[in-house]
Amino acid sequence: MEIPYTVQPRDDTGLYNAKVGIWLFLASEVMLFGALFSSYILLRVGSPEGYWPRGWLNVPIGTVNTLVLITSSITTVMAWASCKMNQFGRFKVFHACTLLLALTFVCIKSYEYHDKFTHYEITLKDGRIADGHIVENNPKADHVVISGRYVQDRKDLYDLEARKAPHHHEEITIPRGQIEKMERYGPWHNTYLAIYFTLTGLHALHVIGGAIVIGFLWGPGSKLWETDPERFTNRIEISGLFWHFVDLVWIFLFPVLYLI
Amino acid sequence: MQATAPAIPHTEVHEARHEEAGFWSTYVFSTDHKVIGIQYGITALFFLLFGFCLMMVMRWQIAHPGEAVPVIGPLLAAIFGDVAAKGIVSPDLYNSFGAMHGTIMVFMAIVPLAFAAFGNYVVPLQIGAPDMAFPRINMASYQAYVVGGLIMFVSFFIPGGPAQAGWTSYSPLATSIATDGQTFWIIGMVFLITSSLLGAVNFIATIIQLRAPGMTWMRLPFFVWAQFVTAFLLLLAFPPLEAAAFMQLMDKVAHTSFFLPTGLAVGGNLAHVSGGGSPLLWQHLFWFLAHPEVYVLILPAMGIVAEIIANNTRKPLWGYKSLVYSVLAIGFLSFIVWAHHMYLTGMGIRIATFFQTTTMIISIPSVIVLTCMFISLWGGSIRFNTPMLFVMAFLPMFGIGGLTGLPLGLSYADIHLHDTYYVIAHFHYIVAPGTIFALFAGIYYWFPKMTGRMMNEFWGRVHFWLSLIFMNLIFQPMFAQGMAGMLRRMADGGANYSQAKMEGAIGGLSAGIMNLHTYILWAAVGLALAQIPFIVNLFWSIRNGTPVTSDNPWDATTLEWQTPTPPPHGNFLKPPEVHRGPYEYSVPGHARDFTPQNEPG
Amino acid sequence: MTVQDHEHFAQHVRGYLYVFYALLFGTLITVGASYIPFGNHAINIAVALCIACGKAFLVAGYFMHLISERKLIYGLLIFTACFFLGLMFLTISAYADFPPMTVTH
């Protein structure tokens, strides 16, 4: 006996099996990201006044990434619609765009991560704090050069939006002997970066995973179109649902991390 | 499909399958739900035995602190080195055994056995489906379970040993211990959680979509309803723990401070972390899963009990509708009671009252379920076979376990009882003579369908009586110990807090309370010996048990008994048509005292 | 597929494009609104989250077809949303509610 309702929907539910399956999976993903968002709120509410970073992320770049994902969402739904309208060629074009947009998103994210990983906070022995991007960090040299600024109070590093005048960066050379502590802006640096890297990292993994699935269906998996176009279209719909969910998460991630 | 044909001997079906596919795709990389169910079952039973052995070593240490473990002491010293020097269980080893006993029993033994093994084998058969909705995902979920289990098992043999911070893995302790055991634990948990999530998706989709024609929701066997709700609990409650595990992993390897507070000191020195995190956040996320998890432990067992009661009383279950609505209510409420595990974390009165209220409310549907099962016995023609004995013992044992949970759920009483042996007794009563008895019953009950042979009835009864007696002897004294103030997780069994150590101290543990440890240890040995007839019976009966004379040896009504024995690939030749409810026993006017669900007319 | 099916689908496609424009617009006003000084920062947060919810509704409703999907699916999602909100609010309430005179810093 064959497993029924793999393509044809069941009468009383009106759904085919994989659709039920993917929505159940997406429900669990809602709980996963929901737990992380709850953690974000708790960590932020629990942080001392003035020590939660604001303005540490580049808003124009984030906006571009948001537009990239939204565009990939429309190309995804159009790819499915093309399959439904029996236009295989257009499906190929639309999902090729989806894959390129996914790649763009990941590249932009990598650039943002790189920016954080080259950003250092250096506490000097005399109490001053230097903060900026690495220009020169030769282990053999006895000094470190960053492009940034000095601050007296650590709190000044946190709220970059409140400051009226744009800070200008200058090249600062610091002898290694004067360095008390030197730490880059990785997830260990503070809980904001920790939750930022975790949220966006997990989201990026979902982008990559979704892109791999869509890429497989676009490439080797598209052979199914010749033998069972309806089943293939359903697969495009299922993978599309996952992709839209990834876009949905970003719709919340962007304002939460970048804007507020 | 009428299945009154004589049973096909197991070996013939075995040979037929060989012609279709090789050994590896039939028995190892199978997508057939029955094979996967048995795979889960055997793996889980192995972990159950392993977790039990860990407990035996711990009970020795508690009863004889500082003395070398007999027989296996040298083996422990050889494997674990310093922490088991000369065969003596050090506090570090005790803590790691304690953490792993809990982890293994909950995540690698009971849930895979109760949910994945029984569920996988029985649910598609009971709803009249050819297999699960997603057979390849089913196989993947078993493989993820094996990988997770292996990682946990391997962690015993790495330098520093396995995780030591309890199955609850509270931060900051969990990430402050310098060894890698915690990292293995977290990665193992991620695989186990993935396995459960894939399984949950499969179960829910299967039950919604693949019910046979005529199998309406209110004609489902109660076992299927129980598994359905269990799958939802796993689906929605596990992801926050996955997120938390990921964050704890980052705390351990990337030195983040999700759960590490500012000013944390480890070993007297300020920790080199950014701080700003919250240990309570871990607890909330952990218990958000772990409370529904305990319902995952009990609901499949309730399902098994219901099936066996209806079958062996020869009458329908009393209150089927109440049972269904109660189990749905338990599922929903279980998501909003979790902080009753956290009463002593400094919560305010308002929030503690909220959780206390929901905790009290959730006891109501649980009592309704138990009451329906008790009433189902009334007026029945009870057959006292081995499955029924286990199931009848389940009822009062679960009753004791559940009722002793009430003082724990009341925040005021919990101040005295939290983290004491009272808690250990409470939950072990529910899981050990509760769930595990139901699982034993299920094994004896469905064994003939899987193998075409009955397990030996005499040794089944021996197994039952000895297990019942010894389980009560082990856990009953723990209530007294807990109320006297003996705390959990003490490697010396409380010796440092005994009156012997502190002459005249108020609240010091009395000699009587301390002496109970010795009796508990002997009872544990008795329980261990009592499992030998079961293990032998299980494997011996596969080849040598009394062959069944029909496909339906228990004269049961549900669909899994209306298939050949064992059911072939695809289960049914064509979809069975269901014409009636699941418990049409002793219907007046009928010739037989049972009518299968798919019998026409 | 018939010509009528195509036309029917062409209508849907137009709908998807309108949703796309709405999402683009929503993104731009989210960013713009974050720079408006409302006085109380909480208002900025509320505005940003409301716009995000609106965009999410569009993606879920139209791109994921939820607006015409079966009761079973959005029933499941409503339960999920309840549990997610429960996790969030109860955790934060537990954090915020502590006995008087507790030292918090």
Side-chain angles (χ1 to χ4, degrees):
Chain A
M1 196 181 134
E2 284 300 307
I3 297 175
Y5 313 122
T6 49
V7 179
Q8 292 310 316
R10 185 184 156 104
D11 282 336
D12 58 353
T13 60
L15 300 159
Y16 56 93
N17 298 343
K19 198 169 223 190
V20 178
I22 193 70
W23 275 114
L24 290 169
F25 177 66
L26 292 181
S28 81
E29 294 273 271
V30 166
M31 296 306 292
L32 180 73
F33 282 100
L36 287 172
F37 276 108
S38 302
S39 305
Y40 170 89
I41 297 174
L42 200 84
L43 289 170
R44 178 166 170 170
V45 160
S47 68
E49 190 67 42
Y51 281 96
W52 190 261
R54 289 190 60 218
W56 279 21
L57 299 173
N58 188 312
V59 173
I61 290 184
T63 311
V64 166
N65 249 355
T66 309
L67 298 172
V68 163
L69 270 189
I70 290 175
T71 312
S72 76
S73 244
I74 183 84
T75 58
T76 300
V77 76
M78 291 304 297
W80 170 75
S82 306
C83 280
K84 280 296 234 192
M85 295 197 284
N86 219 353
Q87 294 161 327
F88 187 70
R90 293 188 79 192
F91 149 76
K92 278 277 195 175
V93 169
F94 277 122
H95 255 347
C97 291
T98 308
L99 291 169
L100 284 171
L101 289 164
L103 185 65
T104 311
F105 179 88
V106 173
C107 286
I108 296 177
K109 205 86 210 86
S110 310
Y111 170 76
E112 287 183 282
Y113 276 20
H114 173 79
D115 175 80
K116 285 281 165 288
F117 276 100
T118 51
H119 191 153
Y120 279 81
E121 180 188 313
I122 304 174
T123 312
L124 295 163
K125 289 203 164 100
D126 60 11
R128 286 181 301 164
I129 301 169
D131 182 278
H133 285 86
I134 278 287
V135 173
E136 203 183 293
N137 187 9
N138 192 341
K140 293 201 202 85
D142 66 345
H143 60 271
V144 166
V145 183
I146 65 167
S147 164
R149 60 194 174 111
Y150 280 108
V151 293
Q152 283 300 125
D153 182 3
R154 204 153 177 259
K155 224 168 159 185
D156 288 340
L157 292 173
Y158 280 86
D159 194 342
L160 299 183
E161 274 178 22
R163 298 165 78 254
K164 302 291 182 217
H167 44 257
H168 58 264
H169 290 158
E170 51 181 1
E171 283 214 0
I172 305 174
T173 307
I174 304 169
R176 284 192 192 272
Q178 278 185 25
I179 295 179
E180 175 79 39
K181 181 173 152 188
M182 178 167 158
E183 196 171 74
R184 62 173 105 191
Y185 277 35
W188 46 81
H189 190 60
N190 60 29
T191 46
Y192 169 81
L193 286 170
I195 195 78
Y196 162 75
F197 277 109
T198 305
L199 270 168
T200 56
L202 193 64
H203 177 260
L205 282 175
H206 280 75
V207 170
I208 295 171
I212 290 176
V213 170
I214 291 178
F216 173 79
L217 288 171
W218 184 85
S222 64
K223 274 196 286 285
L224 188 63
W225 172 261
E226 278 134 46
T227 47
D228 196 343
E230 213 181 326
R231 191 146 177 233
F232 180 75
T233 308
N234 285 347
R235 287 186 178 179
I236 299 299
E237 185 179 12
I238 299 302
S239 52
L241 282 173
F242 181 79
W243 191 259
H244 291 126
F245 177 76
V246 168
D247 180 32
L248 244 173
V249 172
W250 184 261
I251 284 175
F252 283 100
L253 267 184
F254 172 61
V256 165
L257 289 173
Y258 286 73
L259 301 179
I260 61 179
Chain B
M1 179 166 138
Q2 304 268 30
T4 47
I8 306 166
H10 179 71
T11 44
E12 275 186 33
V13 178
H14 185 90
E15 250 113 60
R17 272 201 284 218
H18 263 308
E19 272 149 50
E20 295 166 357
F23 172 83
W24 289 98
S25 42
T26 310
Y27 294 108
V28 181
F29 294 103
S30 173
T31 57
D32 187 305
H33 70 101
K34 301 181 287 297
V35 175
I36 294 174
I38 294 177
Q39 287 175 330
Y40 264 113
I42 293 178
T43 315
L45 283 171
F46 164 74
F47 279 120
L48 190 67
L49 184 63
F50 182 65
F52 187 90
C53 294
L54 294 177
M55 174 275 292
M56 295 290 296
V57 174
M58 289 166 65
R59 289 313 312 182
W60 168 268
Q61 164 65 9
I62 291 169
H64 302 281
E67 290 178 38
V69 183
V71 180
I72 60 163
L75 180 67
L76 292 174
I79 297 175
F80 296 105
D82 280 342
V83 290
K86 301 202 197 90
I88 301 171
V89 178
S90 66
D92 276 352
L93 189 71
Y94 179 89
N95 290 339
S96 52
F97 275 25
M100 295 310 285
H101 168 79
T103 306
I104 289 173
M105 286 308 211
V106 172
F107 294 110
M108 291 147 66
I110 302 292
V111 173
L113 187 55
F115 176 70
F118 281 110
N120 259 306
Y121 197 98
V122 175
V123 166
L125 290 169
Q126 278 193 340
I127 64 174
D131 204 310
M132 287 290 217
F134 311 116
R136 282 176 297 184
I137 291 184
N138 209 8
M139 180 175 74
S141 82
Y142 174 70
Q143 289 168 345
Y145 163 56
V146 168
V147 171
L150 270 172
I151 294 175
M152 291 284 192
F153 188 73
V154 161
S155 73
F156 278 92
F157 303 101
I158 61 173
Q164 288 182 44
W167 82 286
T168 50
S169 192
Y170 278 9
S171 279
L173 177 65
T175 48
S176 302
I177 301 171
T179 57
D180 289 326
Q182 188 66 24
T183 312
F184 273 70
W185 187 92
I186 294 175
I187 297 176
M189 282 305 295
V190 170
F191 277 97
L192 294 172
I193 294 173
T194 304
S195 162
S196 283
L197 284 175
L198 293 175
V201 169
N202 226 339
F203 271 71
I204 298 172
T206 302
I207 294 171
I208 291 177
Q209 293 282 105
L210 299 188
R211 283 166 293 131
M215 180 64 86
T216 60
W217 285 100
M218 291 317 253
R219 282 180 179 170
L220 282 173
F222 182 68
F223 179 72
V224 178
W225 272 111
Q227 294 283 14
F228 184 65
V229 174
T230 306
F232 264 110
L233 296 182
L234 290 171
L235 182 79
L236 298 177
F238 252 131
L241 180 61
E242 186 147 40
F246 198 64
M247 291 194 277
Q248 197 179 69
L249 185 67
M250 287 192 70
D251 272 7
K252 186 97 182 28
V253 301
H255 307 293
T256 52
S257 296
F258 284 113
F259 309 120
L260 305 179
T262 311
L264 175 70
V266 177
N269 301 314
L270 211 56
H272 291 289
V273 290
S274 69
S278 168
L280 280 182
L281 178 61
W282 166 264
Q283 291 192 29
H284 279 294
L285 292 174
F286 177 83
W287 286 115
F288 184 83
L289 175 270
H291 191 81
E293 180 74 9
V294 313
Y295 289 97
V296 169
L297 298 176
I298 195 62
L299 287 178
M302 286 176 170
I304 296 175
V305 167
E307 297 302 308
I308 294 176
I309 284 183
N311 178 249
N312 284 304
T313 52
R314 314 308 294 165
K315 58 191 279 283
L317 277 183
W318 193 93
Y320 176 84
K321 264 211 180 129
S322 308
L323 284 167
V324 170
Y325 288 128
S326 296
V327 97
L328 290 170
I330 291 175
F332 181 81
L333 287 168
S334 70
F335 281 98
I336 50 174
V337 299
W338 79 84
H340 65 230
H341 298 272
M342 297 168 60
Y343 281 141
L344 266 66
T345 57
M347 288 197 292
I349 294 188
R350 268 185 303 250
I351 196 75
T353 308
F354 171 82
F355 281 109
Q356 177 179 287
T357 310
T358 51
T359 305
M360 289 297 114
I361 294 176
I362 203 176
S363 66
I364 298 174
S366 311
V367 170
I368 291 177
V369 169
L370 202 64
T371 309
C372 287
M373 302 216 206
F374 266 116
I375 299 180
S376 297
L377 299 173
W378 182 264
S381 309
I382 301 182
R383 305 188 303 196
F384 289 98
N385 45 45
T386 304
M388 190 59 172
L389 286 174
F390 274 108
V391 151
M392 289 189 66
F394 170 92
L395 298 177
M397 295 295 104
F398 174 70
I400 293 175
L403 288 172
T404 53
L406 291 173
L408 295 171
L410 293 165
S411 56
Y412 217 51
D414 191 52
I415 294 175
H416 182 65
L417 297 171
H418 176 74
D419 246 9
T420 62
Y421 263 75
Y422 187 94
V423 180
I424 297 185
H426 154 71
F427 68 70
H428 276 96
Y429 254 96
I430 300 188
V431 185
T435 298
I436 296 184
F437 269 25
L439 299 179
F440 284 149
I443 293 174
Y444 286 100
Y445 183 67
W446 277 303
F447 188 88
K449 178 49 64 179
M450 296 181 192
T451 61
R453 294 176 187 272
M454 305 290 282
M455 284 177 75
N456 184 284
E457 185 69 14
F458 171 75
W459 287 109
R461 287 166 197 253
V462 168
H463 175 219
F464 165 71
W465 285 110
L466 291 179
S467 298
L468 180 66
I469 293 168
F470 287 121
M471 283 210 190
N472 276 284
L473 287 178
I474 294 174
F475 296 113
Q476 191 60 238
M478 291 188 187
F479 284 121
Q481 291 182 321
M483 286 193 285
M486 180 174 293
L487 294 178
R488 292 172 73 167
R489 295 176 171 151
M490 293 194 294
D492 64 355
N496 271 327
Y497 295 96
S498 61
Q499 279 177 352
K501 257 280 177 61
M502 310 178 297
E503 196 62 52
I506 301 168
L509 300 166
S510 69
I513 291 288
M514 297 300 292
N515 282 339
L516 288 172
H517 283 323
T518 313
Y519 301 124
I520 294 174
L521 175 63
W522 281 114
V525 172
L527 185 63
L529 294 173
Q531 305 315 304
I532 294 176
F534 169 67
I535 298 172
V536 172
N537 193 357
L538 183 67
F539 287 105
W540 182 88
S541 302
I542 294 175
R543 297 271 171 196
N544 303 308
T546 318
V548 292
T549 48
S550 89
D551 287 323
N552 189 358
W554 302 113
D555 286 337
T557 53
T558 42
L559 287 180
E560 79 270 27
W561 298 104
Q562 321 308 329
T563 62
T565 306
H569 191 64
N571 298 339
F572 305 92
L573 289 176
K574 54 182 179 63
E577 298 239 340
V578 173
H579 298 284
R580 59 187 59 78
Y583 305 118
E584 299 287 307
Y585 289 103
S586 300
V587 179
H590 281 221
R592 290 180 306 177
D593 72 342
F594 75 101
T595 313
Q597 280 192 277
N598 60 340
E599 192 164 289
Chain C
M1 292 187 73
T2 64
V3 176
Q4 288 95 320
D5 287 337
H6 264 259
E7 275 176 14
H8 171 75
F9 237 93
Q11 249 185 331
H12 277 275
V13 168
R14 237 170 303 154
Y16 296 145
L17 280 171
Y18 290 147
V19 170
F20 175 55
Y21 300 141
L23 289 171
L24 294 179
F25 177 67
T27 307
L28 296 171
I29 61 169
T30 310
V31 176
S34 73
Y35 289 117
I36 301 175
F38 285 110
N40 190 351
H41 188 61
I43 300 184
N44 283 87
I45 296 179
V47 166
L49 288 177
C50 279
I51 301 176
C53 283
K55 289 164 72 184
F57 173 74
L58 288 174
V59 171
Y62 293 100
F63 284 176
M64 297 171 94
H65 320 303
L66 263 184
I67 205 133
S68 50
E69 191 56 271
R70 292 304 187 117
K71 208 168 63 160
L72 180 77
I73 300 292
Y74 59 78
L76 160 74
L77 291 174
I78 287 171
F79 270 111
T80 309
C82 286
F83 294 136
F84 161 47
L85 292 172
L87 169 65
M88 200 161 66
F89 282 115
L90 288 173
T91 306
I92 295 165
S93 308
Y95 186 81
D97 185 28
F98 40 80
M101 301 208 291
T102 302
V103 177
T104 54
H105 59 271

